[in-house]
Amino acid sequence: MNNRNYTRKHYLDNIRWFTVVLVVIYHVLYMYNGEGILGVQGKITNLEVQYYDVFQYAVYPWFMLVLFIVSGISSRLYLDTHTDNEFIKSKTTKLLVPGTIGLVVFQFLQGYLNMSLGGAFDTMGDVPKFVVYLIMLASGIGVLWYIQMLWLFSMLLVLIRKIEKDRIWNLGRKTNIVVLLLMTVVVHLAAQVLNTPIICVYRFGLYLLGFLLGYFVFSHEEVIEVVKKWLFLTAVIAVALGINFCVRYFGAGYADAPVNRTISFTAYAWFACLAIIGCGARFFDFKNGFTSWMSKHSWGLYVFHYLCISVVAVYVARPGLLSALPVYLLSFVAAFAGSYILYEIISRLPFFRWAVLGIKKDKRA
């Protein structure tokens, strides 16, 4: 190991916070979508077709995949200067604790809101309180699925490292544009396996592949240079595939089978990831006051935003207190401002900053 400092790549931080912002916008539109997706408030406008919902189709195939790829790259950078045990301890505190203990002590509130949206309490009058609480826990996982999977992948990575001894990693350095283009087939095949029924976000095949590609392939500067060099090509293909996907499937259930297993979905997801990584590395590998602030607060934004959107949906949109446009605007404001406020409060509370955010101590002290 060369030194004890974790070498940060500014473009990775910028891709991460920018993608989280897209996730927030996506979830506002998702909450009031007009495509009949269950488990949310649903359509609140009088529009026959909410054409702006196409934003969901434009970002959903790739935005979580790119986060797993970025996490894989970051894992390699961290492990270059830390031991496996330090990695396990860090990921357990940052990911497993909020994904389990945080769910018990705080995120069950999300479960309550989800059940309220679905009208579950209207049919649970005789159900014991403890059972209701357990159901709220399951329903409250919400956005925490990502950190649960990321922790699992991180632990699996430690085992893989002990076996492969950097042989696969060194091979990844030789990845060229032809291999990256052909990887479309591998991504498509990965999307067909290890998908959980009912809860469609747990796509272990696709997201594990993205995480491992981040670690073994995209953590090499040589590969990043290839992605930067061919940015124009991957961006043009991504845009073309994105338009095709949106036109072909707008109005359909994009997040579940069979749409999320199609070649239109997976090819678009892969080329969008290539274009975003290349664009980030080429144009956004810098740090300033704004990007530093956004990066620092992106974790809190991710963890809390859907809870804030759900509050507006349950207590404002559902009873019809405001018309559609004010509800959308209020949801956007609540998602960002509410998340940042919750982050500032909870990050200062000794137990809750550890349980909910995976922060061991107040870094402001």
Side-chain angles (χ1 to χ4, degrees):
M1 295 183 185
N2 299 323
N3 57 66
R4 302 297 296 166
N5 295 320
Y6 168 32
T7 304
R8 301 196 70 90
K9 300 291 186 181
H10 298 315
Y11 74 90
L12 295 179
D13 291 332
N14 290 334
I15 289 175
R16 187 182 290 110
W17 71 253
F18 179 73
T19 304
V20 170
V21 169
L22 294 182
V23 170
V24 175
I25 298 171
Y26 164 83
H27 274 138
V28 172
L29 299 181
Y30 170 79
M31 178 61 74
Y32 309 111
N33 77 85
E35 284 67 55
I37 298 175
L38 302 177
V40 294
Q41 172 60 36
K43 187 178 178 182
I44 57 174
T45 71
N46 295 320
L47 298 174
E48 183 176 347
V49 180
Q50 294 181 172
Y51 288 106
Y52 53 81
D53 278 350
V54 74
F55 179 85
Q56 298 169 76
Y57 294 77
V59 301
Y60 183 82
W62 58 264
F63 63 6
M64 297 311 298
L65 181 59
V66 81
L67 285 179
F68 278 108
I69 293 174
V70 167
S71 294
I73 301 172
S74 299
S75 295
R76 177 67 202 197
L77 296 177
Y78 184 92
L79 284 163
D80 278 343
T81 56
H82 295 77
T83 65
D84 286 352
N85 287 337
E86 288 173 325
F87 180 71
I88 292 172
K89 183 177 180 181
S90 173
K91 293 301 179 183
T92 298
T93 300
K94 185 69 174 180
L95 303 174
L96 183 62
V97 170
T100 53
I101 298 175
L103 181 62
V104 173
V105 303
F106 184 82
Q107 297 290 2
F108 69 90
L109 296 173
Q110 181 67 66
Y112 174 83
L113 294 169
N114 287 344
M115 292 171 69
S116 297
L117 284 170
F121 293 113
D122 298 334
T123 60
M124 300 179 67
D126 297 328
V127 179
K129 299 296 183 183
F130 179 68
V131 175
V132 173
Y133 175 70
L134 292 179
I135 296 174
M136 287 194 331
L137 289 183
S139 182
I141 291 175
V143 299
L144 299 183
W145 69 268
Y146 164 66
I147 63 176
Q148 292 173 344
M149 291 184 71
L150 187 54
W151 179 82
L152 180 62
F153 294 165
S154 298
M155 299 306 103
L156 181 61
L157 177 62
V158 174
L159 177 61
I160 293 173
R161 278 168 53 87
K162 293 182 181 299
I163 298 172
E164 64 97 21
K165 305 292 185 181
D166 272 354
R167 290 187 291 268
I168 299 176
W169 183 76
N170 286 322
L171 185 63
R173 180 181 285 111
K174 300 177 182 179
T175 303
N176 57 33
I177 187 60
V178 175
V179 174
L180 290 175
L181 295 177
L182 292 176
M183 192 64 68
T184 307
V185 178
V186 181
V187 172
H188 180 65
L189 293 176
Q192 312 308 310
V193 300
L194 301 179
N195 297 294
T196 57
I198 302 177
I199 307 177
C200 58
V201 292
Y202 289 101
R203 307 193 68 185
F204 290 95
L206 179 62
Y207 294 142
L208 176 59
L209 175 65
F211 179 76
L212 294 178
L213 286 175
Y215 180 89
F216 287 108
V217 176
F218 293 104
S219 63
H220 293 287
E221 288 296 331
E222 295 89 340
V223 178
I224 294 300
E225 289 302 316
V226 171
V227 177
K228 288 164 61 177
K229 177 181 178 181
W230 293 95
L231 171 59
F232 180 78
L233 173 65
T234 58
V236 169
I237 295 175
V239 170
L241 290 173
I243 293 173
N244 169 73
F245 178 76
C246 292
V247 170
R248 176 174 293 187
Y249 292 107
F250 181 69
Y254 57 85
D256 207 348
V259 176
N260 69 354
R261 317 282 175 85
T262 63
I263 189 64
S264 295
F265 184 105
T266 56
Y268 171 45
W270 177 239
F271 277 95
C273 287
L274 291 177
I276 289 163
I277 293 170
C279 182
R282 186 169 180 177
F283 299 111
F284 298 98
D285 192 20
F286 62 84
K287 177 182 178 181
N288 57 32
F290 174 75
T291 63
S292 296
W293 192 92
M294 291 297 293
S295 180
K296 181 180 179 180
H297 291 81
S298 65
W299 179 238
L301 180 60
Y302 182 81
V303 170
F304 296 124
H305 77 275
Y306 196 68
L307 177 69
C308 298
I309 295 170
S310 299
V311 168
V312 176
V314 170
Y315 296 109
V316 179
R318 191 183 186 196
L321 298 182
L322 294 174
S323 60
L325 181 57
V327 167
Y328 273 105
L329 294 176
L330 183 59
S331 296
F332 277 113
V333 172
F336 287 95
S339 296
Y340 293 141
I341 291 171
L342 280 173
Y343 176 75
E344 292 299 326
I345 293 173
I346 292 180
S347 64
R348 287 173 165 80
L349 302 177
F351 171 74
F352 284 94
R353 65 170 168 252
W354 170 77
V356 180
L357 293 168
I359 300 174
K360 290 190 293 186
K361 61 181 179 180
D362 191 347
K363 298 179 180 179
R364 301 170 184 78

